[in-house]
Structures are given as structure tokens and as C-alpha cells.
Amino acid sequence: MTGGADRLAVDDAGAGDSHAHDAVRHAALLAAQRGVDVLRALLFAALVPRLLGPTDFGRFALLGAAAYWFAALSGLGSAQLMGRFVPVMVLHEERSAARRLLGNLFALRALTGVASAVPYVLLGRWWLPDLPMTLLGSMAAVVALSSVARVPFAFFLGLNQAARWGAGDLARRWVSLVLVLAGTLVLGLRGACLGLALAEACVLAVGIHWARPHVSVADVRLEWGFVAPYVHYNLAFFGSTLVFALCLRGGEAVMRAAGADYATVGYFGLAAAAWAAAAQAVWMLLMAFLPLLTRLRAQGRIEAAREWAGRLLDVLVAAAVVGCFAAALPGPDLVPRLAGPAFSPAVPLLLPVSVALLAQVACSVGRLMALVLDRPRLALAGTLAQAAVLVGLGLPMAYRFGGVGVAWAMAAASAAHGVVVFAAVQRDAPLCLGRGLAVAGLGLLFAPLALLPVTGLAPRAAVFAVMLAGYAAALHRAGLVTTSGLSDLARPVRASRG
């Protein structure tokens, strides 16, 4: 199966440019979608925690985090499977095989979704016996439905249409916001959980409608002899995805395991939800380039793939540094205004969570390269190191420092993941890590501005603007992230519009 990739001939330059143009154009659209999702996140933070209150929001955050784990368990890593194999099938003009793979994954995910929903309920009855069955049943439906709903959108990722892949997640988030709000107003916490389940049903309907040109009802069947080699190949990558999901939403469970009450979990859950949304947005943006980088490697152009990854690392590290600036300055005033004064205890979590995002950006680029290089054990080793640090350091830090301690443990865990992955990736496709470190280091030069004795949202936002302008000028002057470099990334987008 992978041998087909090895025998590919190099495409002509025009075809290669076309695929690069498509990848960048869809990545730009995906980034725009993430921008729209920021508005959704602000509305969520301003409305849902207020309506539920700290205690019920803590329950909601914990149930949602557990549902995210079990949905990942049922997923079998379909996004990276599609991103790895469908581009090669299309390159070989084997579209019938691609459609067959899509139909098989529909059938397989329907089975694994139900198989994951049942232990979700059983775990909930054992771990959270005080919660009613109606809550667990609604969230189990989320697990089962989301397992199937993600399949058609992952197929579009394999077709190098990352914007359509991201549209599924964007639709999920916005429809969830509307239905969770409606459900909360009518039924409280029960309505919020039911709203999530109904949102997944809506996204599944959209996905099926979009996938109709590519698959028919007759194609949806499980042919184990056909799909087994793909699943076996993907198992190690799936393992890394599952552990990654545990790390992404594992902080709430660590807090609860350390004896925190639901309200304290709710404070942490507010900051952790922002971290998870940002980290997932970074990963989705990187995954938008997986078909392109996979194709480049299949053509023997590993140097070009390495250059693309290096550019992405520089730009995303700079964006994460800006996030740290925002967490240190306007963030402490925004949280009580958005979520309400009752969630003020979440403010001290913002800075360590933003540092955790900075570390997560770096390790995500390394994880992407592990996918491109067909190094599933490396991807798994990185996520296992992250999980080990999160639990091993997070529990004692939770007992000693509460949510702030867990947030710093998240940062250390992401850093450990990055060290493990890059130590190996650098041997096969060395990236210029010095540039990324320099981008982060320049941000430290502006950190003292956050210590200025300035109070109030408007004055602190003004200081943030000064930091942002100074940091951008420093990056440009140092030649690390320049307007010409950004223009190179944007050129395919402009060309596609011309």
C-alpha cells in the first residue's frame, strides 16, 4: 500500500504548483473559519457559563471532555488516514478506491461509535454516580453521532479541500452554541447536553448531503479485507490521536481526580476550553497541509516539505506569542466581563495556558512531520510523553497549586512532546528550529511591558497594541517573519482569485 507512493514519478512543476496553491488557499479559508470561530467562542464564554453557573458548568465541561475522549476512541484517526492515502489514490487516478474507502469508513465508524458510547455510559455511572442518566445518555449520543459525522468531512481533507473539512467543525461549533443555549434556557444542564447531541445530528445530515456525489448507500458496507490494511497501518497514528485527545481535554479529569469540586473544575474548564479550541485550530491548520506534504514526500521532494513545515513553524510560533501577550494584558479584564464575576478565579490560569499553547504549536509541527514521514511510533511516543508528564506532574501540582499547577503541567507536557518528536524528526527532515526559537525569544523582550502598573481594559489593551506593533517590527527587522515571507504564503491565494 505504501509502496505505491514510493514508485510515484515526480509531477511537472505546474501540477506541483497547482497543489500548493490549493493547499494554501484552503488553509487560508480554514484560518478565516477559525477567525469566525473566535466570535463563537466569545459568545459561548459570555453566555453559557453565566446561564449554567460554576457548578453546572463544571459538570458540563467534565462530561464534554470525556465525550471528546470517547469520540476520539471511535474515530480510528480517519482524518490522518484520509489525508495520507486519498491524495495518493487521486494521484494514481484510483478514485473508485477512494470512494470505496469512504464507504467502508462510514460503516466502520457507525460500529465503533456505538461501541464507544456504551463504555462512556458505564464509566460515567462508575466515576460520576451523582449525575443523572439523562445527562450521560445525551452525551453518549454525542459520541455515537460525532463518530460518523466526521467521516465525510475528513474525506474532503484527502481531496486537498481542507476548507470543506474545517467547515464541518465550524458548523458543529456554531450549531452547538445555538442549541446548547436554547436547551439551557429551557432545561438547564440537561438541555445543554441534549443540545450537543442534536448539533451532531445536524452536522451528520450536512456531511451526508455533501458526500452524496462521492458515495452511495450501496457503497456503505464493511469489507474488512479491503479496509483492514489501512486500519492496521493507521493504528499507531490512531493511538497517538487518542492520547493527544486525552491530553487536549485531560486537565479537567486531573482536577477532578485531585479532589476538586465541580465549581473549581468549571473555573479550570473555562480556560481549558479556550486552550483546547486554540490547540485544535492550530492542528487543523497544519492538517490542511498534510495532503500537500504527503504528495511532496511521495515525489521524493522532502526538502520542499521541510521548507513548508519550517515556514509554518515560524508563523504559528509568532501567533502563539501574540496569544501570550493577550493573556497577560487584556485577558484578565475580559474574562470577568465575558463569563461573569463568578468566573474570576479562572483569570490566573490564562498565562500558563497561553504558554502551554506556545509549546503545543511547536510539538504539533513535529507531529505533522511524523505523519508525513510515516513515523507512527514517533507520533505515539510524543503523545505518550505528553500524557505521562500531564498526569505525573499534573496530579501533585493540582494538590499543591490547584488549577494553576495543572495549567503549568500542561505547558511542561507539551514541551516534553516537542522534545521527543523533534529529536527524531531532525534526523530525517531537519527543520530550522533556531528560527522558531528566535521568534519566541523576541517575544520575551517585550514581556516586561506586561508588568506596567496599568489597570482597566482600555489602558491594558493599548499596552497590548504597543507590544504587538513592537513585536511585529522586531520580527520584520530580524528577518524572521517578514511581509515578503507572508506574501509568498499568500501568493497562491491571490493567484487563485486572479
Side-chain angles (χ1 to χ4, degrees):
M1 183 168 48
T2 57
D6 294 332
R7 64 174 181 268
L8 292 176
V10 177
D11 283 352
D12 57 65
D17 289 345
S18 173
H19 283 280
H21 289 179
D22 289 343
V24 176
R25 180 168 60 86
H26 278 273
L29 292 172
L30 195 63
Q33 291 174 2
R34 295 304 95 191
V36 173
D37 189 56
V38 171
L39 175 60
R40 191 273 322 165
L42 292 175
L43 291 173
F44 180 91
L47 299 173
V48 176
R50 287 176 184 267
L51 291 174
L52 288 175
T55 300
D56 272 351
F57 183 73
R59 295 187 177 101
F60 184 69
L62 196 59
L63 287 169
Y68 183 80
W69 304 339
F70 280 86
L73 176 64
S74 70
L76 300 176
S78 62
Q80 60 243 30
L81 192 153
M82 294 288 198
R84 171 63 182 86
F85 291 109
V86 172
V88 177
M89 291 175 176
V90 172
L91 189 64
H92 280 167
E93 298 183 356
E94 297 173 349
R95 291 186 176 271
S96 60
R99 289 193 294 268
R100 192 177 177 188
L101 179 61
L102 174 59
N104 272 267
L105 282 182
F106 259 124
L108 183 61
R109 289 285 289 265
L111 294 175
T112 58
V114 173
S116 297
V118 172
Y120 176 88
V121 173
L122 296 177
L123 176 65
R125 297 301 295 169
W126 169 75
W127 185 32
L128 306 169
D130 56 313
L131 298 185
M133 187 64 191
T134 52
L135 300 184
L136 296 174
S138 295
M139 298 304 285
V142 171
V143 173
L145 290 169
S146 67
S147 178
V148 185
R150 296 177 187 274
V151 172
F153 299 101
F155 183 72
F156 288 112
L157 174 64
L159 295 179
N160 204 20
Q161 298 177 22
R164 278 207 165 196
W165 172 55
D169 187 66
L170 186 66
R172 174 177 292 104
R173 292 171 181 272
W174 275 98
V175 175
S176 295
L177 173 64
V178 173
L179 295 181
V180 166
L181 285 174
T184 301
L185 290 170
V186 176
L187 297 173
L189 179 58
R190 289 180 176 85
C193 295
L194 182 60
L196 285 180
L198 292 176
E200 289 294 342
C202 293
V203 174
L204 175 59
V206 172
I208 291 174
H209 176 72
W210 279 9
R212 284 191 306 173
H214 304 282
V215 66
S216 65
V217 175
D219 294 323
V220 180
R221 60 184 183 274
L222 184 59
E223 303 170 279
W224 186 247
F226 170 78
V227 79
Y230 296 97
V231 174
H232 289 159
Y233 172 86
N234 207 50
L235 278 178
F237 281 129
F238 161 64
S240 72
T241 300
L242 179 59
V243 179
F244 178 68
L246 292 172
C247 294
L248 203 62
R249 296 302 303 268
E252 293 95 332
V254 171
M255 290 288 295
R256 184 65 178 171
D261 57 31
Y262 285 119
T264 304
V265 173
Y267 304 140
F268 182 87
L270 185 64
W275 130 264
Q280 191 171 29
V282 167
W283 182 239
M284 289 186 69
L285 184 61
L286 290 171
M287 285 288 285
F289 288 89
L290 177 61
L292 171 64
L293 300 187
T294 296
R295 190 182 183 98
L296 290 173
R297 178 183 180 267
Q299 296 167 337
R301 299 165 60 190
I302 193 65
E303 179 67 19
R306 185 184 67 81
E307 290 178 2
W308 274 102
R311 291 181 192 176
L312 291 170
L313 178 64
D314 296 345
V315 172
L316 291 175
V317 167
V321 169
V322 172
C324 292
F325 292 167
L329 283 163
D333 291 289
L334 281 175
V335 168
R337 289 171 183 250
L338 285 173
F343 283 85
S344 294
V347 169
L349 301 170
L350 295 180
L351 183 58
V353 162
S354 65
V355 174
L357 178 62
L358 178 60
Q360 188 66 39
V361 162
C363 77
S364 293
V365 174
R367 187 165 173 249
L368 174 68
M369 288 305 295
L371 282 171
V372 173
L373 296 171
D374 286 338
R375 299 285 300 276
R377 293 182 181 178
L378 174 58
L380 181 59
T383 52
L384 287 175
Q386 184 174 3
V389 174
L390 177 61
V391 176
L393 183 62
L395 280 173
M397 292 284 280
Y399 283 115
R400 180 68 178 84
F401 301 106
V404 174
V406 176
W408 282 115
M410 288 165 53
S414 295
H417 184 169
V419 169
V420 170
V421 173
F422 277 115
V425 165
Q426 291 300 90
R427 292 195 295 267
D428 297 328
L431 305 182
C432 186
L433 298 183
R435 289 179 60 89
L437 291 173
V439 170
L442 274 181
L444 290 176
L445 297 179
F446 295 88
L449 290 176
L451 302 178
L452 292 176
V454 177
T455 58
L457 178 58
R460 293 178 70 83
V463 176
F464 169 69
V466 171
M467 290 180 70
L468 183 58
Y471 182 53
L475 288 175
H476 185 271
R477 183 65 180 270
L480 295 171
V481 179
T482 64
T483 53
S484 61
L486 294 174
S487 179
D488 289 341
L489 287 175
R491 187 175 296 119
V493 181
R494 294 196 299 270
S496 67
R497 294 174 179 170

